[in-house]
């Protein structure tokens, strides 16, 4: 459907000058990417530029002579009488952010500027309206607010977690040097885990779509112990995306197991390896950690020390799951179930 050119009402004093001005204004209006339209004091559309067609989806022939209300969502119909009342008083409305509706029913965030149209004698006979699409701007703003809230949440959790680790470690360490070593190991494991989600903290990214998988977390934690040798960490079963609620407790739990394996278990020798299998059934994830040690003296299951207490607390309290550690013929076997 062809679209009519926008119309302007002008009462010229000099015909040639007025014609030149009219052509100049028409070129500006037709070339504008903003939606520019006019309406009378009853809210009837009297002109419609190509920018308005692009934004709202209507050709000029479809809207000329129609009420402006067809662009206004049903829950915002009370806005137009208020706008017209201000126009009749000669007021100009600038940068009014609201929501309008396109031909296909899509909601559009727009910034409106509405100005009175006057005749030569000053009489107000209508209004010009410029609508700028700010849908993307509003979406980006909401995303930035989400990222800010997420960053604040993470920082709060990190400080809370660090405080808890200091309290727990201080009870089991006999010297400042030991405390520093233990804390450094725990925080390094967390740093490796959270480095996986660092890119999603950048503005403009989709935060919730870029969380790491369980396999990615395990490989990041194991890398300092296996030096990139994938054959020493064998992952089978389901690899699920992690949430911020599960990332930290799982990072600390597997950080404990990796450290224990490097000191006493399968990672003590270059021939040892660990198998981690994960299987999801409904809302329950079962994880089996099985070490295959090549040392002469296989590691024993962790006693009821700090590491065991920490893992039990993380799995049972934060992940609403269960954990069982015992010796198998090949080495340490840890069975966990967690709610996801």
């Amino acid at each position: 459907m062809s679209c009519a050119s926008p119309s302007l009402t002008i009462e010229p004093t000099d015909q040639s000058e007025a014609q030149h001005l009219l052509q100049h204004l028409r070129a500006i209006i037709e070339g504008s990417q903003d939606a520019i339209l006019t309406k009378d004091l009853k809210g009837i559309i009297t002109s419609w530029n190509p920018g308005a067609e692009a934004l709202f989806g209507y050709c000029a022939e479809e809207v000329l002579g129609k009420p402006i209300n067809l662009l206004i969502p049903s829950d915002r119909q009370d806005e137009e009488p208020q706008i017209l009342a201000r126009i009749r008083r000669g007021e100009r409305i600038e940068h009014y952010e609201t929501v309008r509706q396109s031909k296909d029913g899509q909601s559009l965030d727009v910034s409106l500027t509405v100005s009175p149209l006057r005749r030569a004698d000053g009489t107000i006979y209508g209004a010009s309206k410029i609508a700028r699409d700010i849908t993307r701007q509003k979406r980006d703003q909401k995303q930035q607010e989400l990222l800010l809230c997420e960053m604040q949440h993470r920082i709060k959790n990190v400080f809370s977690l660090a405080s808890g680790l200091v309290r727990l470690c201080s009870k089991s360490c006999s010297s400042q040097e030991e405390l520093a070593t233990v804390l450094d190991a725990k925080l390094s494991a967390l740093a490796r885990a959270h480095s996986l989600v660092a890119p999603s903290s950048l503005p403009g990214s989709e935060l919730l779509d870029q969380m790491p998988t369980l396999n990615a977390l395990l490989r990041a934690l194991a890398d300092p112990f296996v030096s990139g040798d994938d054959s020493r960490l064998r992952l089978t079963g389901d690899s699920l995306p992690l949430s911020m609620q599960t990332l930290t407790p799982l990072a600390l739990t597997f950080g404990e197991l990796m450290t224990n394996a490097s000191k006493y278990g399968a990672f003590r020798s270059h021939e040892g390896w660990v198998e981690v299998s994960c299987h999801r059934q409904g809302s329950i994830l079962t994880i089996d950690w099985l070490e295959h040690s090549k040392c002469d003296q296989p590691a024993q299951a962790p006693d009821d020390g700090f590491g065991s207490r920490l893992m039990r607390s993380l799995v049972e309290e934060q992940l609403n799951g269960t954990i069982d550690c015992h010796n198998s013929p090949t080495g340490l076997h840890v069975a966990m179930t967690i709610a996801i």
Side-chain angles (χ1 to χ4, degrees):
M1 182 180 293
S2 61
C3 299
S5 298
S7 60
L8 292 174
T9 303
I10 296 179
E11 295 186 2
T13 55
D14 180 87
Q15 188 64 34
S16 61
E17 181 180 352
Q19 186 65 27
H20 175 72
L21 177 61
L22 179 60
Q23 293 174 351
H24 181 67
L25 291 177
R26 180 176 288 118
I28 293 175
I29 293 171
E30 290 181 347
S32 174
Q33 294 183 349
D34 291 333
I36 302 176
L37 57 108
T38 59
K39 60 185 179 181
D40 63 21
L41 293 179
K42 294 182 180 180
I44 302 301
I45 299 172
T46 56
S47 73
W48 188 261
N49 81 328
E53 179 185 352
L55 178 59
F56 295 110
Y58 291 99
C59 272
E61 294 177 7
E62 297 178 276
V63 295
L64 289 175
K66 301 288 182 62
I68 195 73
N69 297 66
L70 66 86
L71 304 177
I72 304 176
S74 58
D75 60 342
R76 292 178 178 266
Q77 289 289 323
D78 60 336
E79 292 182 3
E80 183 60 16
Q82 298 176 30
I83 291 174
L84 288 174
R86 293 180 63 180
I87 291 299
R88 292 189 185 97
R89 294 195 297 268
E91 297 180 21
R92 175 182 168 90
I93 302 167
E94 296 191 60
H95 308 302
Y96 172 57
E97 294 188 5
T98 185
V99 177
R100 291 296 179 256
Q101 186 171 284
S102 64
K103 181 179 179 180
D104 61 7
Q106 180 182 358
S107 294
L108 304 170
D109 291 300
V110 296
S111 175
L112 299 179
T113 296
V114 190
S115 304
L117 290 176
R118 301 176 185 272
R119 294 188 174 89
D121 62 2
T123 304
I124 297 172
Y125 66 91
S128 67
K129 178 178 292 188
I130 301 175
R132 174 163 297 179
D133 186 5
I134 58 171
T135 303
R136 182 173 181 177
Q137 176 184 329
K138 298 292 285 188
R139 184 176 64 247
D140 290 345
Q141 180 181 346
K142 290 179 181 177
Q143 185 177 49
Q144 289 176 356
E145 291 172 354
L146 173 64
L147 291 172
L148 179 60
C149 290
E150 183 63 32
M151 181 183 68
Q152 292 173 337
H153 177 69
R154 290 191 193 186
I155 292 174
K156 181 180 179 180
N157 283 349
V158 167
F159 280 119
S160 177
L161 179 63
S163 177
L165 284 175
V166 170
R167 289 196 302 270
L168 283 172
C169 293
S170 63
K171 295 178 181 179
S172 60
C173 296
S174 57
S175 66
Q176 291 183 348
E177 290 76 12
E178 183 183 3
L179 176 61
T181 301
V182 171
L183 280 176
D184 181 68
K186 310 306 179 198
L187 296 177
S188 294
L190 282 179
R192 288 193 296 274
H194 282 270
S195 68
L196 295 173
V197 295
S200 66
S201 300
L202 298 175
S205 64
E206 296 297 330
L207 177 65
L208 300 180
D209 293 338
Q210 297 187 19
M211 291 302 296
T213 62
L214 179 58
N215 283 1
L217 172 65
L218 290 168
R219 294 205 181 280
L221 294 173
D223 188 65
F225 305 107
V226 302
S227 301
D229 185 354
D230 289 345
S231 66
R232 300 191 64 200
L233 179 67
R234 304 178 188 182
L235 307 176
T236 60
D238 302 319
S239 178
L240 303 177
L242 300 176
S243 65
M244 286 307 301
Q245 288 71 32
T246 59
L247 176 66
T248 296
L250 282 178
L252 284 172
T253 299
F254 284 112
E256 283 294 321
L257 292 174
M258 301 283 183
T259 302
N260 187 73
S262 69
K263 291 181 177 180
Y264 313 111
F267 290 158
R268 279 187 298 174
S269 68
H270 293 293
E271 295 79 17
W273 55 281
V274 173
E275 177 184 2
V276 182
S277 60
C278 306
H279 299 282
R280 177 178 182 175
Q281 187 172 9
S283 61
I284 300 298
L285 181 65
T286 300
I287 304 174
D288 284 295
W289 167 285
L290 182 59
E291 296 188 20
H292 296 263
S293 179
K294 298 299 182 180
C295 298
D296 295 334
Q297 184 179 2
Q300 299 295 309
D303 57 18
D304 195 29
F306 166 72
S308 295
R309 295 197 305 272
L310 175 62
M311 289 193 298
R312 189 179 305 114
S313 173
L314 292 167
V315 174
E316 294 179 355
E317 297 177 14
Q318 296 194 33
L319 296 173
N320 194 28
T322 63
I323 183 169
D324 176 62
C325 303
H326 62 273
N327 290 319
S328 75
T330 62
L332 178 64
H333 178 210
V334 179
M336 289 182 277
T337 63
I338 65 173
I340 55 176

